[in-house]
Amino acid sequence: MTTTNEIRRKFLDYFGRHDHEIVQSAPLVPRNDPTLLFTNAGMVPFKNVFTGQEHRGYSRAVSSQKCVRAGGKHNDLENVGYTARHHTFFEMLGNFSFGDYFKERAIELAWLLVTQELGLPKEKLIATVYADDEDAYQLWRKIAGLPDDRIIRIGTSDNFWSMGDTGPCGPCSEIFFDHGPDLPGGPPGSPDEDGDRFIEIWNLVFMQYDQPEPGQKVDLPRPSIDTGMGLERIAAVLQGKHDNYDIDLLRCLIENSAELSGVDPDGEFRASHKVIADHLRATTFLMADGVLPSNEGRGYVLRRIMRRAMRHVHKLGVREPMIYKMVPELTQLMGEHFPEIRRAEALVTETLKMEEGRFQETLDRGLRLLEDETAKLGQGGTLPGDVAFKLYDTYGFPLDLTRDILRGEELGLDEQGFEAAMEEQRRKARAAWAGSGEQADEKVWFAIRDHFGATEFLGYDTDAAEGAI
Ligand code: ATP
Ligand code: MG
Ligand code: MG
Ligand code: MG
């Protein structure tokens, strides 16, 4: 069996042999892009190279980039546990051409890699092209010899990439793998394309236009290439699994979770093990790149990820901190390629242990409250927004945590009601402050509240403890 670590190596070496500079993964916190929460694609660290603002000593590059998609434009947090192919943390393998080779060579390099180097059977592969991109369509016929019914034209934004309202953009072409008719789901572009049968493995972006103004398109003088292939997805294909969570690396983590909890890894609670394994990776890699749990910004996204995992630990019947015990297994598995997680091992373990311990009691009490409330609802009912707000405000339940629990029971959530309750609390806080006669302690309290948003059950201690981590 080819291990995930070997596949990463093969990808880097292959493009290295084809004159690509092998570039280390950049950190998950983007260095020069305050608009972006986390690095969510391989091209992010090269943004300024594509736009020409930055020059490097090479015009071709290859990387395996750490990515987190748990907030902002790309948010897969709520997919984890439900789909076979999504993680919050994953690695994106990518080759890049900065005004060097273009469409034809990009398709050729990709096709040779998947069919020759990695040995995938041609008849299980499908390519999609942007509806208007006749060049790409013809190139797939010529280079891959794919029949017409396996080159699918897609007219939606799925096959048209842009950096933003302005800047570089262009059509995409994606490679899908057919995991076979035993699995549900239709081919790309069909109404049931989100099933597990046809899995998107590689996205090739042909940056050929610039948008000086929104909606305006002019040809780029030197078009570029940006590609992204999910390491875990290609590993699943090569390891004969249809579910990313069955690849060597994630399987080890799931077994670790099963061992620690004493709960069957493949039974009724499989989804919980998947969530724990995935969120452990996101948590560890984010902390190793300097993000610490807090009540705002990136730190709050991290806290949401951690609490979602903790709730699944609770679901497995474990009533003491558990996830922190899995950190050594992860560093063992991935620390060779990513030494930063080795260096951060003690910090991650301690922080996780503390966060898990702190959330335990409120989680337990919040879940009981939620249970009482959902018992009052009929089948397919909707949880009132003020209850979700109480869970958030008093018990530290991020909204997506509540949503995740309700979804498991096929219940809805009154999100507008939640927003209204939140707004009402802000209003009251402001009013109370204004009429408080400026007592110093209250002033401090509301300043903290405004700064951090709604506070949690742990109140002052939470914020004080933050600095101590
Ligand atoms: P999907 O449609 O499956 O959500 P995507 O179109 O959002 O994927 P892209 O933005 O095109 O994904 O990213 C390029 C590649 O990165 C994808 O083809 C896939 O192999 C991989 N990828 C994207 N999101 C994830 C994820 N959440 N977990 C694992 N791999 C991912
Ligand atoms: Mg997606
Ligand atoms: Mg897609
Ligand atoms: Mg895609």
Side-chain angles (χ1 to χ4, degrees):
M1 183 190 74
T2 325
T3 65
T4 304
N5 285 329
E6 284 162 359
I7 298 165
R8 183 194 303 109
R9 189 72 262 153
K10 270 193 179 187
F11 187 92
L12 297 173
D13 286 348
Y14 171 83
F15 283 102
R17 281 204 304 284
H18 289 98
D19 305 320
H20 290 64
E21 178 85 9
I22 301 179
V23 178
Q24 281 278 320
S25 173
L28 284 167
V29 178
R31 276 210 186 92
N32 45 15
D33 193 345
T35 64
L36 193 63
L37 208 50
F38 301 119
T39 302
N40 58 16
M43 62 80 61
V44 169
F46 299 111
K47 256 187 187 175
N48 293 342
V49 186
F50 282 116
T51 57
Q53 283 162 277
E54 185 188 336
H55 293 276
R56 304 221 179 151
Y58 46 82
S59 59
R60 302 171 169 208
V62 61
S63 67
S64 184
Q65 175 62 47
K66 300 181 277 189
C67 293
V68 166
R69 292 192 172 184
K73 186 176 153 205
H74 290 286
N75 187 353
D76 287 323
L77 183 63
E78 294 183 26
N79 283 325
V80 173
Y82 293 94
T83 72
R85 70 183 197 278
H86 290 108
H87 308 289
T88 54
F89 170 89
F90 64 100
E91 282 178 70
M92 200 185 282
L93 302 166
N95 57 294
F96 308 93
S97 152
F98 311 112
D100 191 85
Y101 61 82
F102 194 48
K103 221 175 274 191
E104 176 157 14
R105 187 67 180 141
I107 292 178
E108 190 175 45
L109 283 167
W111 185 251
L112 290 177
L113 177 73
V114 289
T115 56
Q116 291 188 5
E117 198 75 11
L118 303 177
L120 299 191
K122 180 176 154 181
E123 55 299 345
K124 294 198 172 173
L125 297 169
I126 288 182
T128 66
V129 297
Y130 186 55
D132 296 345
D133 194 356
E134 193 55 33
D135 291 350
Y137 190 90
Q138 293 306 333
L139 286 167
W140 280 112
R141 288 187 54 168
K142 183 176 108 181
I143 294 165
L146 284 176
D148 286 349
D149 65 340
R150 277 194 290 121
I151 310 174
I152 300 177
R153 295 179 199 262
I154 308 258
T156 64
S157 62
D158 266 2
N159 278 54
F160 196 90
W161 177 89
S162 52
M163 200 176 273
D165 290 343
T166 58
C169 61
C172 325
S173 194
E174 298 192 317
I175 303 178
F176 283 71
F177 184 81
D178 180 359
H179 281 279
D182 293 345
L183 292 164
S190 69
D192 56 344
E193 64 176 358
D194 267 335
D196 288 347
R197 177 170 171 183
F198 296 90
I199 300 275
E200 173 190 329
I201 54 172
W202 203 348
N203 186 353
L204 316 180
V205 180
F206 312 126
M207 271 183 223
Q208 62 190 85
Y209 307 113
D210 185 29
Q211 291 181 97
E213 305 269 338
Q216 207 184 13
K217 269 193 213 97
V218 295
D219 284 342
L220 276 175
R222 295 174 66 207
S224 290
I225 291 293
D226 152 33
T227 86
M229 169 154 71
L231 173 62
E232 299 78 2
R233 293 194 192 179
I234 185 68
V237 170
L238 292 168
Q239 294 178 11
K241 310 288 184 196
H242 85 268
D243 187 333
N244 281 15
Y245 290 85
D246 286 327
I247 66 171
D248 53 349
L249 223 160
L250 283 149
R251 184 69 198 172
C252 286
L253 296 175
I254 284 181
E255 277 170 7
N256 193 199
S257 165
E259 234 167 75
L260 290 168
S261 61
V263 177
D264 179 4
D266 301 307
E268 185 191 347
F269 293 105
R270 178 170 158 84
S272 292
H273 290 300
K274 285 167 92 167
V275 171
I276 294 165
D278 174 84
H279 292 7
L280 166 73
R281 290 213 304 167
T283 298
T284 304
F285 276 89
L286 282 171
M287 281 194 214
D289 280 349
V291 183
L292 286 175
S294 76
N295 284 343
E296 58 176 5
R298 296 187 173 108
Y300 190 56
V301 178
L302 169 60
R303 181 164 277 166
R304 279 162 49 204
I305 296 172
M306 293 167 77
R307 293 195 169 174
R308 194 166 182 265
M310 291 174 204
R311 182 248 156 177
H312 283 275
V313 168
H314 189 278
K315 220 177 151 184
L316 296 178
V318 177
R319 294 291 178 272
E320 60 200 40
M322 180 188 111
I323 311 166
Y324 80 95
K325 294 182 189 159
M326 298 171 65
V327 178
E329 175 77 6
L330 176 62
T331 43
Q332 173 88 28
L333 290 163
M334 298 188 71
E336 195 175 323
H337 190 75
F338 297 106
E340 66 270 31
I341 64 169
R342 277 195 188 143
R343 286 195 295 271
E345 187 174 327
L347 169 82
V348 177
T349 308
E350 283 312 306
T351 310
L352 246 171
K353 187 176 177 185
M354 188 157 115
E355 282 279 315
E356 287 190 82
R358 270 165 49 176
F359 190 46
Q360 205 110 55
E361 194 189 328
T362 43
L363 175 64
D364 208 54
R365 291 171 45 192
L367 286 172
R368 261 182 274 143
L369 170 76
L370 186 56
E371 219 169 273
D372 291 345
E373 291 293 332
T374 53
K376 295 182 204 158
L377 303 175
Q379 215 183 5
T382 301
L383 186 79
D386 59 333
V387 179
F389 182 72
K390 184 170 184 191
L391 285 167
Y392 167 78
D393 193 43
T394 312
Y395 298 95
F397 279 39
L399 190 62
D400 49 75
L401 178 66
T402 305
R403 205 189 288 125
D404 190 43
I405 299 169
L406 293 171
R407 180 173 163 186
E409 298 172 29
E410 291 176 28
L411 295 169
L413 171 61
D414 175 10
E415 310 227 357
Q416 268 181 343
F418 174 85
E419 289 304 327
M422 175 90 106
E423 195 39 54
E424 174 61 15
Q425 197 210 42
R426 283 202 195 106
R427 196 191 57 75
K428 272 192 197 148
R430 279 193 298 267
W433 188 8
S436 71
E438 300 271 311
Q439 282 155 13
D441 53 350
E442 267 187 334
K443 201 168 170 180
V444 169
W445 167 250
F446 287 112
I448 291 172
R449 213 177 178 89
D450 271 357
H451 183 66
F452 287 104
T455 45
E456 297 172 10
F457 172 71
L458 292 160
Y460 290 105
D461 289 335
T462 309
D463 300 323
E466 226 83 73
I469 293 172

